Amino acid sequence: MKTSNLGYPRIGAHRELKRACEKYWSNKISLEDLIEAGKSIRTENWKLQKEKGIELIPSNDFSFYDQVLDTTLMVGAIPERYKNAKKSSKNILDLYFAMARGLQKDGVDVIAMEMTKWFDTNYHYIVPEFTKEQEFELVSQKIVEEFKEAKNLGIQTKPVLLGPVTYLLLGKEKEEGFQRLDLLPKLLPVYHSILKMLADAGATWVQFDEPILSTGLSEKEKEAIGKVYNGITEAFSNLKILLASYFGDYGDNLDTVLNLPVCALHLDLRRGADDLDKVLETGRLHQSTSLSLGVIDGRNIWKNDFESSLRFIQKAKEKLGEERIIISPSCSLLHVPHDLDLEQNEEVLSTEIKNWMAFAKQKLEELQSLKILANNPDYKHQQLFLDNVASMEKRRNSKLIHKTKVKQRLEHLEAKDYRRESSFDKRKILQDEHLKLPLFPTTTIGSFPQTKEVRQKRSLFKKGELTEQGYVNFLMEQTFETIRLQENIGLDVPVHGEFERNDMVEYFGEQLEGFTFTQNGWVQSYGSRCVKPPIIYGDVSRPVPMTVFWTSFAQSLTNRPVKGMLTGPVTILQWSFVRDDQARSVTCEQIALAILDEVLDLEKEGINIIQVDEPAIREGLPLRKKGWQTYLDWAIGAFKLSTSGVKDSTQIHTHMCYSEFNDIIQSIADMDADVITIECSRSQMELLDAFSEFDYPNDIGPGVYDIHSPRVPSEEEIIKLLQKAENVLPASKLWVNPDCGLKTRGWEETISALKIMVSAAQQMRETVGQPSN
């Protein structure tokens, strides 16, 4: 019996990669310094996994930005628009970062590649772009170099490759007349070249990640999987191939994978528990194929239930023998924080709740514990097992978890609590009369730059080195200056800037009961962007108002309508580590009621525009369509519950970013938000087609410039995007805004971009023939 890990967090235990990348981007460290920082993280990860007894240790799970972008560079699928960036780049990493972030330097001005969510997680990947005459070539040998790097440390690793079928299907055709899967014959020779190089370097195991197998596939796509892995196993008999899918079961793709002569097949038994029985009952697993049992949750932070995991392991062991069993996490540990041992402050994370948890390092230890217990026929009497059973029982019976008032409030909800009083067309008349906004009204998505000074003041306040009054005075100054700035720029609907907020989910979780937090529980969202997800351990409620003071203060500084900014219940749920002892839908409704209380308090204070952000609605969709309606019913219901109690004259906004809307457009319409703002700049307004074809009834703010890139758009660029928008939607429905919050940007680029955006909106008003009020 072996232990295997599918991937390990790559940001470093203390976010070393984030700091190194951002210093390199701002020319504060050299390329050599950046490369050394990456090497240091890899070395530490490999040594830790070896120390914890992991036998199949991954390599090439490290990335300076994103593993999909790594693959794009590896196979040379570099879009034509980066031709000049390629020429001007001093090294391959600069080209790589230009593809991820865009580039505006030395006469080169190129936008970043599109970014979207990695299946149903909060991780983002850079979307590959393909053309009809696409050619592939081996450009980056990173996977081979990192395998050799580990080998020089005396560690034999299992290189990880994103499978070619998943890679192609996660991309986009950038012209008509072909299907991206048709590029497979051109792509496979590059993969074969890499595999030959790995075999020559001494690799024995190679892990292919094909998570697309957890989705519904066409017959053509299933045939492609068979062709790829039959061909690889035939051509490279000296390599042991571990085929891994995760985030769900194999469903009707199971027959396809059971026919493959791979050395090991990975099952995600946290999200596809039925797969084990199906595999064992069919008796069709190749005699030479092992099973990788993903029994430890790679996406959540709760301690593993040994009793449950050992049932899976013993069942497989009885059928296959221990030699064909590999114990694994369900997926890469990329999605969980590094090390629970770093949480030393009991005021932040209580000892009782901490004892229910396991981060990446602890999950490695759990793998080893499970192996020890699985090899002991008398495991139920071992102290290791008994301690785990006792821990599970303590959590189940804890008085911290259950709140009678919260449960009773849910029981008394009625149908009317989930809908606005009047239809949108009636509400729009009242809102137009009350708000008196011009055509193409301008606003932002909410946050303004969180500068080093803002972060330092927050840190000093938390450490007790700055008084509460001193901190409040500082935040008031920042808010005052930001309101004045927005008035001077000409924004029609200003925001208060969110300087008091650390994160759009964490900030609210800190003020809600049923949540707890960490000091060092960072996970990667994209690139250098890291988040510290809250932990929902019990029933959720709102004891006191959370945002009313700052929004009301901002409104007192201006005659323009200030937009209240809240995070929606589904996004709070999706971007937290959620309790696993009750249905997610129930937890989501609890959060929705807490947000409703805040919405109503804002309205009482005269805030007439309230934005309830739901960027995570789309990512929460089950990977197979058969589960969509059930999810959408409770997710859309939770949003409506949180917003439907307001008057008709109060305008409800929501924001969604980096999502495809075509297949859920009816559900987006069912949310009945008065205004929806979406990411559109990277897709060049393509996302609006879904709203146009559906005849979306409410107002839309298509993002007109990409805030995830440091480049400042030109006025002509924004006008062209707005003209595209006006070609598919009536001008009376369109708002003008960036595509996301401005928290991560600098002030200079933010001010420049917003001035250009407002000027473009003013020109559009003149073009359409209706002057601003």
Side-chain angles (χ1 to χ4, degrees), residues 592-629:
L593 287 173
I595 298 301
L596 171 64
D597 292 343
E598 189 71 13
V599 166
L600 295 177
D601 280 348
L602 284 169
E603 185 181 57
K604 286 176 187 175
E605 290 298 313
I607 305 303
N608 301 124
I609 302 179
I610 303 170
Q611 181 169 308
V612 181
D613 287 339
E614 283 292 19
I617 286 272
R618 182 64 171 80
E619 80 183 45
L621 276 175
L623 298 183
R624 286 192 169 82
K625 286 193 175 183
K626 65 181 181 181
W628 282 18
Q629 198 56 54

Side-chain angles (χ1 to χ4, degrees), residues 459-572:
S459 177
L460 289 172
F461 172 62
K462 286 188 174 183
K463 292 175 183 176
E465 298 174 18
L466 177 65
T467 66
E468 181 175 4
Q469 190 58 54
Y471 185 50
V472 169
N473 289 343
F474 169 75
L475 294 175
M476 283 183 162
E477 290 172 8
Q478 296 292 309
T479 305
F480 176 84
E481 291 173 5
T482 301
I483 290 293
R484 291 287 86 81
L485 171 70
Q486 292 173 87
E487 287 185 325
N488 292 336
I489 289 174
L491 285 164
D492 300 303
V493 179
V495 295
H496 78 283
E498 304 181 13
F499 301 105
E500 78 285 3
R501 304 185 189 184
N502 43 14
D503 175 81
M504 66 180 290
V505 173
E506 185 175 12
Y507 176 77
F508 291 95
E510 285 176 339
Q511 301 177 80
L512 295 170
E513 291 186 347
F515 282 74
T516 192
F517 296 86
T518 62
Q519 287 180 296
N520 298 287
W522 297 99
V523 293
Q524 185 181 27
S525 178
Y526 64 87
S528 67
R529 169 72 169 152
C530 301
V531 293
K532 191 150 56 71
I535 296 161
I536 306 175
Y537 67 86
D539 289 337
V540 178
S541 61
R542 186 203 73 150
V544 294
M546 302 179 287
T547 68
V548 173
F549 174 82
W550 289 111
T551 311
S552 299
F553 172 67
Q555 185 63 81
S556 73
L557 302 174
T558 181
N559 292 323
R560 302 184 187 205
V562 170
K563 181 166 57 172
M565 298 300 307
L566 303 175
T567 303
V570 180
T571 298
I572 291 177

